Amino acid sequence: MKGWRKDLADLQQAEAASRAEAEILAARRAKLDRLREQGIEPFPYEYDRVEPIADVRAAHEGLEADTQTEARHRVAGRLASRRDQGGMSFLDLYDRSGRIQLQATSDTLSADAFARLTELVDLGDLIGVDGRAFVSRRGELTLHIEDFEILAKALRPPPDKRHGLQDTEARYRYREVDLMANEESRRVFIARSHIIAAIRRTLDDDGFLEVETPTLQPLYGGAAAEPFVTQHNALDRTLYLRIAPELYLKRCLVGGLERVYEIGKNFRNEGLSPKHNPEFTSIEWYEAYAEYGRAADRTERVVRAAAEKAGYDFEAEGALRFDRPWRRLTFARAVEEATGINLLAHATDESLRDAVRANPKLTKKIPEFEQLNWPKLADELLGEFVEPGLIQPTFILDHPVELSPLAKRHRDIHGLTERWEAYAGGMEIANAFSELNDPDEQRARFEAQVRYSEGGDAEAQPYDEGFVRALEQGMPPAGGVGIGIDRLVMLLTGRATIRDVVLFPALREL
RNA sequence: GCCCCUCUAGCUCAAUUGGUUAGAGCAGUGGACUCUUAAUCCAAAGGUUGAAGGUUCGAUUCCUUCGGGGGGCACCA
């Protein structure tokens, strides 16, 4: 449906939906007005000396049912539910740390205040409370309200108190509502924050510097992907949103910063899927005088620290054992185990195609194999037959040189590079190499990419003379790693889709 | 881009497989209730069944198109 027809449909739908909803919104506005008439400001400026609810709970752990205390606490949060009972009312309040029951009685509060709390305060409003702790006859820690204040009136109702917000689209589109309604959602994003903090801390402690490099780049590079293209008006030039920070970070190594990392957004102009958001967060670090084996060791440590900080249970059934050394398997061996093809024994396009052609199981999964060159075909074999089975953390080592234009050649095996990709849960989560620092070879690799590009490969990497020039200044040998943070968070929080770990994922226009 | 599934009250779900006036809980509204916690009880209210068209005596139910969402394929990290 396009143009006016769609507009009309939307209008009719909005019209139909409005009546019942309008009543609900009007009721809340009426209460707002009544509060103001009573001289109560529904949007005050502050409410200080608030204690996290979890701390209040911790302070009274283990008290028996039907116990009074003299302890007074001040908490603030959102009202989740209310059970009125005439001259008394129980309410549930929650903040980021937890939930606590409140009790209001007309004995303690003035008649006005009690009526305000039970009649003019709605579910979803933010309130602050001073109360005395006691444990109810049913054994629930409760604050008996001695004073309260409305901290912000909610003019829209909160989601269903039993079911929360379940509509998937609404959860992404109105994430603030998802966060307030679904504790599980809050838990994921708190874990995400902890994961990033743990990564940062681990690298900081190991002498790395956090740096920031351009997101708007005159020339994109550092990965195989299509970029977003944008325009700078004053400079009157085309700029690209970066697809990776890699090349700039290596220039920092040239400059002598020695150990650098950057946590930030990359942008790739590709389709959406449960594993792909057009903007995603990565950590890349580069360590001078190290190579890819050291990079792997450090990756294990960083991910383990992140998992621990996120409270990941390594002992749970089906848990990913990030707490143990990861399996290490060469690219060639992985492919041979899965397909029976020895890549190194089939070193030409034709030879490898022959080997694939001979096995119907392979041709079925890769029907376009006749059009693929050796590196693309090798990559397909890995992607189709190896990757889905890599559940426990695994390093796949030593990729073909044609697939890895920024990696050093393998020191022992011709045609390969010193590179690894790390997999877990059937997804690639990290990529690393002994960084190519020979400017002449880098130039030749870029030239090869340009030839692929001319051959129709939209993702071949562009020639970056500025980067080669930087290498000509001398870059120390280095190990570099990139980790997809969103995917790591998915694994560590047990989410199946990237949209559950990105606060505001890309959505169709409403 | 292709294939499959889905859309019912503000929210979460029903409607005996095409049959009378589309029901319930929550939320909201009015009322009762001083240890409740999915509080309970009483009352009223809330709907163009995603939209448009078609088949039929009759459509929430079947068909077509369009729109939203979900899942899969392809591409990618």
Side-chain angles (χ1 to χ4, degrees):
Chain A
M1 213 183 322
K2 290 275 162 12
W4 66 269
R5 287 186 66 189
K6 183 177 189 304
D7 293 343
L8 187 61
D10 289 348
L11 265 178
Q12 287 170 338
Q13 205 169 343
E15 194 81 15
S18 67
R19 239 163 299 157
E21 196 174 10
E23 280 176 36
I24 291 171
L25 298 183
R28 285 180 177 252
R29 286 208 174 266
K31 293 180 187 179
L32 181 80
D33 294 340
R34 284 170 63 193
L35 284 170
R36 287 205 164 111
E37 283 163 17
Q38 294 180 13
I40 306 291
E41 171 52 50
F43 298 101
Y45 287 88
E46 65 170 339
Y47 193 74
D48 61 0
R49 303 188 312 278
V50 169
E51 224 179 317
I53 285 172
D55 291 3
V56 177
R57 303 197 77 95
H60 299 287
E61 220 182 327
L63 278 187
E64 285 179 16
D66 205 9
T67 307
Q68 301 294 321
T69 82
E70 292 305 314
R72 287 183 165 72
H73 299 277
R74 166 173 277 211
V75 296
R78 196 178 291 276
L79 190 60
S81 69
R82 178 169 51 207
R83 295 171 291 282
D84 288 333
Q85 210 165 331
M88 184 194 56
S89 182
F90 285 103
L91 310 91
D92 293 332
L93 188 78
Y94 66 98
D95 67 9
R96 198 179 80 190
S97 74
R99 175 183 284 248
I100 195 165
Q101 177 168 265
L102 310 174
Q103 183 195 43
T105 64
S106 52
D107 300 340
T108 304
L109 292 170
S110 71
D112 278 357
F114 185 78
R116 197 182 310 136
L117 185 59
T118 52
E119 291 169 22
L120 299 186
V121 170
D122 288 307
L123 300 191
D125 288 358
L126 294 159
I127 63 173
V129 167
D130 287 302
R132 189 174 41 74
F134 74 101
V135 180
S136 72
R137 286 175 203 162
R138 300 287 181 88
E140 171 118 10
L141 180 68
T142 306
L143 292 182
H144 183 79
I145 300 176
E146 299 185 324
D147 197 11
F148 76 93
E149 196 171 324
I150 295 167
L151 302 181
K153 187 89 187 114
L155 291 177
R156 292 182 177 278
D160 190 284
K161 69 179 180 186
R162 293 184 193 172
H163 306 96
L165 184 64
Q166 296 199 346
D167 181 78
T168 316
E169 189 205 353
R171 287 187 45 232
Y172 300 146
R173 207 175 280 287
Y174 308 108
R175 181 68 86 181
E176 63 282 0
V177 183
D178 176 44
L179 287 168
M180 77 175 69
N182 300 320
E183 206 210 325
E184 177 63 14
S185 185
R186 286 199 294 280
R187 195 186 65 77
V188 165
F189 290 103
I190 290 168
R192 179 177 177 126
S193 177
H194 289 161
I195 287 165
I196 293 173
I199 292 171
R200 189 171 262 134
R201 175 169 198 158
T202 304
L203 292 171
D204 287 346
D205 287 350
D206 285 349
F208 283 75
L209 295 175
E210 180 167 13
V211 298
E212 291 159 280
T213 65
T215 302
L216 288 172
Q217 302 183 347
L219 189 64
Y220 61 95
E226 284 198 61
F228 286 89
V229 184
T230 188
Q231 173 70 19
H232 188 283
N233 291 340
L235 292 176
D236 187 28
R237 69 171 304 170
T238 297
L239 291 174
Y240 302 93
L241 275 68
R242 75 173 174 204
I243 58 173
E246 170 148 359
L247 301 186
Y248 282 99
L249 290 172
K250 285 198 252 192
R251 288 164 77 163
C252 295
L253 287 189
V254 171
L257 295 183
E258 293 180 349
R259 293 184 175 198
V260 295
Y261 72 91
E262 180 166 9
I263 294 173
K265 287 281 181 71
N266 299 315
F267 306 86
R268 299 190 184 174
N269 208 338
E270 291 150 358
L272 288 73
S273 89
K275 292 180 184 146
H276 301 87
N277 197 55
E279 57 178 298
F280 67 99
T281 303
S282 73
I283 161 90
E284 289 198 11
W285 75 75
Y286 292 84
E287 177 177 2
Y289 313 118
E291 44 73 82
Y292 74 146
R294 180 106 71 91
D297 296 341
R298 192 179 294 287
T299 298
E300 288 179 340
R301 288 213 307 283
V302 165
V303 171
R304 178 174 184 164
E308 283 170 352
K309 192 74 197 297
Y312 189 77
D313 181 4
F314 298 115
E315 308 294 333
E317 185 164 345
L320 302 171
R321 298 309 299 250
F322 289 117
D323 57 333
R324 295 175 179 163
W326 302 5
R327 188 176 168 215
R328 299 186 187 208
L329 193 61
T330 66
F331 190 114
R333 186 178 172 85
V335 169
E336 183 162 13
E337 281 180 3
T339 68
I341 293 180
N342 182 339
L343 288 174
L344 299 179
H346 297 276
T348 65
D349 291 353
E350 207 36 60
S351 166
L352 185 54
R353 281 183 205 143
D354 288 344
V356 170
R357 195 180 297 116
N359 187 336
K361 198 183 80 183
L362 305 186
T363 57
K364 191 177 170 202
K365 285 269 196 177
I366 314 177
E368 74 286 13
F369 74 98
E370 297 285 5
Q371 280 79 54
L372 299 178
N373 58 20
W374 191 91
K376 288 271 181 192
L377 192 45
D379 202 32
E380 279 292 312
L381 290 171
L382 185 83
E384 286 294 328
F385 298 101
V386 178
E387 188 175 328
L390 297 177
I391 303 305
Q392 287 300 330
T394 305
F395 292 110
I396 298 291
L397 299 126
D398 302 341
H399 295 53
V401 64
E402 295 89 339
L403 291 172
S404 313
L406 301 168
K408 256 186 152 81
R409 286 186 183 278
H410 197 281
R411 63 193 83 180
D412 297 323
I413 308 171
H414 180 72
L416 301 185
T417 54
E418 296 201 354
R419 175 185 182 184
W420 52 255
E421 290 182 299
Y423 293 85
M427 283 191 295
E428 183 188 342
I429 57 166
N431 181 25
F433 10 96
S434 299
E435 301 294 341
L436 177 56
N437 61 344
D438 175 338
D440 292 334
E441 172 147 15
Q442 184 65 74
R443 188 173 278 118
R445 300 276 192 92
F446 275 142
E447 282 162 357
Q449 289 292 309
V450 169
R451 286 196 296 278
Y452 294 140
S453 179
E454 285 163 354
D457 184 349
E459 288 162 356
Q461 305 199 23
Y463 191 112
D464 190 331
E465 181 58 32
F467 176 62
V468 175
R469 180 193 162 97
L471 292 186
E472 285 176 342
Q473 298 282 355
M475 184 178 96
V481 177
I483 300 177
I485 302 250
D486 310 275
R487 289 184 174 183
L488 182 62
V489 175
M490 284 170 68
L491 295 177
L492 294 181
T493 58
R495 316 310 299 185
T497 163
I498 198 167
R499 289 180 158 190
D500 282 346
V501 302
V502 173
L503 274 168
F504 300 97
L507 296 174
R508 221 174 277 260
E509 193 180 6
L510 200 58

